[in-house]
Amino acid sequence: MKRENVLNWDQYFMGMAHLSALRSKDPSTQVGAVIVDETNRVVSIGYNGLPRGCNDDEFPWGREGGMLESKYAFVVHAELNAILNSPRPVKNCAIYVSLFPCNECAKAIIQSGIKKIVYECDKYADTDAVKASKKMLRAAGVELIQLQEQISISIDIKEENI
């Protein structure tokens, strides 16, 4: 008899997004993204962090201060990282992301041809950036699906294993 209580595809891919988010060095917000094709194969994965080649210790991680004193000018969002790191085009794929995409990521999602966004958290729904994001995504025909259940990943990282 097979085991019945298994993860569905949404839970599986969102769990992968959460696992990827654990790679983020951002002290306040860790976001992960997973791009999946029509056959449920993972195409790419990303998390919010600095661009390749930029030393994490030489850039700010704070939320406060001017543009050059905060993280906002420097951090690449999880969605854009997943798109840019993909080994192949992501047209007609879905993206699973733990936090609803901002307007800048929405532009990249639309331009890349991704057709569906599955997300969990929408805590910035009242901001202009997310309002603009949703307006563009809906106009472009991108399907938006919010998962009703929160996926939880917990990993105990011990110093001796690093």
Side-chain angles (χ1 to χ4, degrees):
M1 194 106 172
K2 71 178 181 181
R3 191 168 70 93
E4 296 292 332
N5 189 18
V6 298
L7 298 175
N8 65 38
W9 288 116
D10 287 342
Q11 293 166 328
Y12 180 67
F13 295 130
M14 192 60 72
M16 289 181 73
H18 282 290
L19 184 62
S20 179
L22 294 176
R23 283 282 309 144
S24 176
K25 294 179 182 166
D26 189 320
S28 60
T29 306
Q30 300 84 44
V31 180
V34 177
I35 299 175
V36 180
D37 70 12
E38 304 93 337
T39 63
N40 289 323
R41 292 194 179 172
V42 174
V43 174
S44 188
I45 196 161
Y47 57 90
N48 58 315
L50 291 178
R52 185 176 290 123
C54 292
N55 186 326
D56 295 326
D57 297 323
E58 295 175 9
F59 291 85
W61 287 101
R63 299 171 61 140
E64 305 301 322
M67 184 64 119
L68 298 178
E69 290 84 38
S70 70
K71 66 182 179 178
Y72 298 110
F74 306 106
V75 171
V76 180
H77 287 182
E79 303 92 327
L80 186 57
N81 253 333
I83 292 167
L84 294 173
N85 288 323
S86 178
R88 69 168 182 85
V90 295
K91 185 175 182 181
N92 297 321
C93 286
I95 188 166
Y96 285 77
V97 63
S98 51
L99 181 64
F100 193 87
C102 71
N103 61 306
E104 292 300 321
C105 288
K107 292 178 211 178
I109 288 167
I110 293 165
Q111 288 297 94
S112 69
I114 290 172
K115 294 297 179 193
K116 179 168 78 170
I117 299 171
V118 181
Y119 64 98
E120 269 184 350
C121 182
D122 197 10
K123 69 180 177 180
Y124 299 113
D126 293 330
T127 65
D128 288 344
V130 171
K131 288 177 183 176
S133 177
K134 288 179 180 176
K135 183 174 184 174
M136 287 186 288
L137 291 164
R138 288 185 178 119
V142 177
E143 183 180 5
L144 307 176
I145 300 171
Q146 184 173 20
L147 295 183
Q148 297 308 308
E149 63 179 305
Q150 199 82 22
I151 305 301
S152 175
I153 300 284
S154 117
I155 296 179
D156 185 23
I157 300 173
K158 294 181 176 28
E159 288 297 320
E160 66 266 12
N161 293 336
I162 298 176

